[in-house]
Amino acid sequence: MSPCVNWLQPLLALISSSLLTRGHNCPSSCLCPDQHTVDCTGRGLTRVPDSVPLDVRRLLLSNNWIPWIPSDFLVLYSDLVYLDLRNNSLSQLDPETLSTSSRLVFLDLGSNNLTEIPSGTFGESRSLIKLRLGNNPYLSTVGLEAFTGLTSLRELDLESNGLTVLDVRVLDPLPSLRRLRLEGNPWLCNCRFANMFMWLTENRHKLPTGMEGIECSLPVDGRHVPLSVLSEDSFRECRGTLSLTDYLIVIFSGISVSVAAIVASFFLASTVHCFQRLSKGSKGDEEDGND
């Protein structure tokens, strides 16, 4: 065996050892039951650990005090398929953070302090199957395109939040949806809820608790009733109700017509005045000619 080979063997062994143990570098405050799982549940963490192996597939970070997710988080952990951030202190989501989660299948953001799910939050997370956003008591707004791109999503949890209304178009980009949890929200059964009620009636098989498990408050007396006691006739007064956009169109149209009428009146008055002046001038010329 040549001296060069003898010298290279220890070096290659060292490099191979480093590569093989890359997935076994477990953060000091966490447990790693296998080379692709990092369990940091209930460790009192205030941030995502820096020493998580890059090839991690299951990352458990629930029951901590983590207030935010680094914007490059899922860029670094491109193999991640299971992420549990339940019961932390998250108050907002940066759309860029989760838009690169191309392999993520399970995401739990429940029991946090989220207030809004903006449009584009999840980008093109086409592999995502289960998304849990329940038990965020301050969550009152879901962007119209919040779930755009989630074509594989089957289970969506939005229970026990602060939602009073949800635009039914939010659910349009979810062709694979099989289960939807909406119970425990302070829904208002007004005209803004009418379209959602119709959708729920047609898709009641997707509700684990059924229509009877979802309650809303009546606009007249604030009494809470299950959706199962309501019907399409309960929203009959909403059929002729105009939306804000409709009102703006009507107002703008009225203003445009008024302006057009004023301009036309001014033009007509000016034309009449000119004809009157021309008529007087003609008569004066005739009188001067007769003299």
Side-chain angles (χ1 to χ4, degrees):
M1 187 176 292
S2 66
C4 291
V5 175
N6 290 333
W7 178 81
L8 284 173
Q9 279 184 335
L11 179 61
L12 292 174
L14 178 62
I15 294 174
S16 300
S17 177
S18 298
L19 291 175
L20 289 173
T21 59
R22 184 170 72 99
H24 298 283
N25 295 329
C26 191
S28 58
S29 58
C30 306
L31 300 174
C32 298
D34 58 69
Q35 68 179 53
H36 294 299
T37 301
V38 176
D39 186 355
C40 303
T41 303
R43 300 290 174 170
L45 301 177
T46 57
R47 58 178 295 178
V48 177
D50 295 326
S51 55
V52 175
L54 296 180
D55 58 352
V56 64
R57 294 180 185 174
R58 298 181 73 250
L59 182 56
L60 312 178
L61 294 168
S62 62
N63 301 324
N64 285 294
W65 302 97
I66 300 173
W68 66 288
I69 309 173
S71 58
D72 60 350
F73 180 69
L74 290 175
V75 175
L76 295 174
Y77 303 107
S78 57
D79 291 336
L80 197 62
V81 296
Y82 188 104
L83 178 58
D84 187 356
L85 279 161
R86 174 173 35 95
N87 196 25
N88 274 279
S89 301
L90 299 174
S91 58
Q92 63 180 11
L93 297 174
D94 183 353
E96 297 180 358
T97 303
L98 299 172
S99 61
T100 57
S101 54
S102 59
R103 296 188 180 182
L104 202 61
V105 173
F106 176 93
L107 177 60
D108 194 340
L109 297 171
S111 301
N112 277 280
N113 298 319
L114 298 175
T115 59
E116 179 185 5
I117 308 297
S119 293
T121 295
F122 304 101
E124 297 296 323
S125 303
R126 299 186 183 277
S127 298
L128 197 61
I129 294 178
K130 295 183 180 181
L131 177 58
R132 295 180 177 172
L133 296 168
N135 294 289
N136 283 278
Y138 307 111
L139 178 56
S140 59
T141 304
V142 178
L144 191 59
E145 298 180 354
F147 304 130
T148 298
L150 304 185
T151 54
S152 299
L153 193 69
R154 295 183 182 180
E155 298 182 11
L156 174 60
D157 292 357
L158 287 168
E159 82 284 1
S160 302
N161 292 320
L163 297 170
T164 58
V165 66
L166 183 67
D167 194 318
V168 71
R169 292 175 294 175
V170 168
L171 305 174
D172 287 345
L174 305 176
S176 302
L177 191 64
R178 297 292 180 270
R179 192 189 78 161
L180 176 64
R181 294 191 61 185
L182 294 173
E183 68 275 9
N185 284 283
W187 301 111
L188 297 177
C189 277
N190 52 24
C191 291
R192 296 180 64 192
F193 190 74
N195 289 335
M196 175 57 73
F197 177 81
M198 304 307 170
W199 188 95
L200 293 175
T201 301
E202 297 174 358
N203 294 272
R204 63 179 68 206
H205 59 281
K206 298 180 180 180
L207 307 174
T209 60
M211 297 286 279
E212 60 275 8
I214 303 175
E215 293 186 347
C216 68
S217 58
L218 300 178
V220 177
D221 54 9
R223 184 165 49 93
H224 290 77
V225 297
L227 297 187
S228 57
V229 305
L230 302 178
S231 66
E232 186 176 349
D233 288 339
S234 303
F235 299 90
R236 62 180 179 275
E237 295 180 357
C238 301
R239 293 170 186 169
T241 302
L242 297 178
S243 65
L244 177 59
T245 303
D246 295 330
Y247 279 117
L248 291 176
I249 292 174
V250 171
I251 293 172
F252 180 76
S253 300
I255 294 174
S256 300
V257 171
S258 299
V259 171
I262 292 172
V263 171
S265 299
F266 177 77
F267 178 76
L268 181 61
S270 300
T271 303
V272 171
H273 181 67
C274 289
F275 275 114
Q276 288 177 345
R277 292 187 62 183
L278 289 174
S279 177
K280 289 180 180 180
S282 299
K283 290 181 179 179
D285 292 340
E286 291 178 358
E287 290 176 359
D288 290 341
N290 292 335
D291 291 342

